[in-house]
């Protein structure tokens, strides 16, 4: 088995490692469902928050905050990546090290259970408990959310975290390598900590927001294409015409918009960040307000996308294995 693995090209090896790690994380969630990946980068987020308090001063000008955010990003992430890269030289079994890095880097696979729990609590009219369950996973303020707001926030959270912490990280791991996946996750966590939607980070977090959005552009568009393929119907062409103007924007708006049209609901719009009301872009204003059942529909739709992605990767591995066998 090991001999066969060693004969495969690196991309096929990375795909197999990804499958193994995903299986282990799913198994881990079944065994210990109360433990999530939410805590894996908690110390790093704490460090980012403390660093921002030190260097993101109110007395600084806007340009100084921009520069401070850039420097803080570089001095935070670069040493960590260099240390991991140097440590890799001492690893006797690279595949174990790769799997370990990927296991740490991939986001939680308990998102589906989380969404179902929130939907169940909303159906039971337990708004308080639904907010308590969802709040640790949100960047926005959750205290004033209505049941509609909770449903909308949960749907957007599920979509973005699946794209960013699962799909994009898997993409970077397969096509570039473990260090690229780890680098992206660190950038992502830094972006979460210095989210420019919060008033105090609107300049300090600008660089990290731009670089994170730029890096996830291609994975996000691949995810968008898979979303189209898993939701084909007579309205698909219309939906594409409505969202195509956002294809080259440096954000995830196109994916959120397309999901809103698929489900027939409104997404985006006003949200509270650090007690300040922020008017974000809204999607499908003619749709219905999100409800608990739409959370379940979102989970099912995202599962289809992930299943299709896995099917494509399996096909790639099979084709590569056949070609390798024929060449030998």
């Amino acid at each position: 088995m090991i001999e066969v693995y060693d004969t495969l090209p690196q991309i096929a090896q990375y795909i197999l490692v990804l499958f193994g790690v995903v299986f282990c994380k799913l198994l881990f969630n079944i065994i210990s469902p109360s433990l999530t990946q939410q805590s894996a980068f908690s110390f790093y987020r704490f460090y980012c928050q403390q660093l921002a308090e030190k260097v993101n001063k109110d007395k600084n000008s806007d340009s100084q905050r921009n520069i401070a955010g850039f420097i803080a990003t570089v001095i935070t992430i670069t040493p960590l990546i260099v240390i991991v890269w140097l440590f890799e030289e001492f690893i006797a079994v690279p595949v174990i090290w790769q799997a370990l890095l990927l296991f740490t880097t991939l986001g939680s696979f308990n998102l589906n259970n989380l969404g179902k729990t929130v939907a169940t609590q909303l159906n039971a009219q337990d708004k308080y408990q639904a907010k308590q369950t969802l709040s640790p996973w949100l960047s926005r303020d959750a205290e004033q959310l209505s049941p509609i707001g909770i449903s909308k926030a949960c749907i957007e959270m599920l979509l973005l975290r699946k794209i960013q912490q699962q799909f994009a990280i898997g993409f970077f791991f397969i096509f570039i390598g473990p260090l690229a996946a780890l680098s992206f996750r660190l950038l992502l966590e830094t972006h979460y900590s210095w989210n420019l939607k919060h008033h105090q980070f609107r300049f300090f977090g600008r660089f990290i927001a731009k670089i994170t959005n730029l890096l996830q552009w291609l994975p996000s568009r691949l995810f968008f294409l898979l979303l189209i393929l898993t939701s084909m119907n007579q309205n698909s062409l219309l939906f594409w015409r409505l969202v195509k103007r956002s294809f080259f924007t440096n954000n995830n708006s196109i994916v959120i918009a397309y999901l809103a049209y698929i489900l027939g609901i409104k997404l985006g719009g006003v949200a509270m960040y650090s007690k300040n009301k922020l008017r974000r872009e809204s999607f499908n204003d003619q749709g219905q307000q999100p409800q608990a059942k739409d959370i379940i529909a979102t989970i099912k739709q995202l599962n289809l996308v992930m299943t299709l992605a896995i099917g494509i990767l399996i096909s790639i591995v099979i084709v590569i294995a056949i070609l390798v066998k024929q060449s030998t």
Side-chain angles (χ1 to χ4, degrees), residues 77-286:
I77 294 176
T78 303
L80 294 175
I81 297 303
V82 171
I83 291 171
V84 174
W85 174 66
L86 292 174
F87 188 78
E88 188 176 9
E89 299 296 321
F90 300 97
I91 303 300
V93 187
V95 66
I96 296 179
W97 176 244
Q98 294 163 5
L100 212 61
L101 279 180
L102 182 60
F103 187 91
T104 304
T105 304
L106 275 174
S108 174
F109 276 67
N110 201 34
L111 291 173
N112 289 350
N113 291 334
L114 176 74
K116 291 175 182 177
T117 300
V118 172
T120 301
Q121 291 165 344
L122 287 176
N123 282 329
Q125 307 298 319
D126 193 351
K127 184 178 74 170
Y128 173 79
Q129 195 58 47
K131 285 192 289 188
Q132 292 298 108
T133 302
L134 186 61
S135 181
W137 299 82
L138 299 178
S139 177
R140 72 186 74 179
D141 300 343
E143 293 83 0
Q144 302 301 320
L145 287 178
S146 64
I148 290 174
I150 294 171
S151 299
K152 181 184 295 185
C154 185
I155 290 169
E156 293 175 2
M157 181 277 294
L158 290 171
L159 174 62
L160 292 177
R161 285 189 180 261
K162 292 252 184 182
I163 293 174
Q164 296 171 340
Q165 297 186 8
Q166 295 180 12
F167 193 87
I169 286 175
F171 172 88
F172 285 115
F173 179 82
I174 291 171
F175 293 103
I176 305 180
L179 280 180
L182 177 62
S183 300
F184 178 75
R185 182 61 191 271
L186 289 172
L187 287 167
L188 200 59
E189 291 296 331
T190 309
H191 169 57
Y192 292 159
S193 299
W194 303 339
N195 192 330
L196 51 76
K197 291 187 178 72
H198 293 275
H199 182 76
Q200 67 270 31
F201 298 125
R202 68 188 188 281
F203 297 107
F204 185 78
R206 186 166 292 180
F207 171 76
I208 188 64
K210 287 183 177 179
I211 193 67
T212 303
N213 285 333
L214 181 64
L215 288 173
Q216 66 178 311
W217 186 89
L218 181 56
S220 175
R221 270 46 186 182
L222 291 175
F223 189 95
F224 169 65
L225 294 176
L226 294 178
L227 184 61
I228 292 177
L229 292 174
T230 55
S231 60
M232 293 290 289
N233 57 39
Q234 66 271 21
N235 295 319
S236 296
L237 185 58
L238 173 61
F239 294 162
W240 162 248
R241 289 173 177 171
L242 291 171
V243 304
K244 66 179 181 180
R245 67 182 184 279
S246 301
F247 190 84
F248 291 104
T249 56
N250 193 24
N251 53 45
N252 292 310
S253 294
I254 191 170
V255 190
I256 301 174
Y258 201 83
L259 181 65
Y261 286 120
I262 291 173
L263 300 179
I265 59 174
K266 300 177 182 179
L267 292 177
V270 176
M272 297 289 291
Y273 292 87
S274 300
K275 310 300 181 183
N276 293 307
K277 184 180 291 187
L278 180 66
R279 296 191 178 278
R280 308 172 303 155
E281 183 179 2
S282 59
F283 308 102
N284 193 20
D285 289 332
Q286 304 305 315

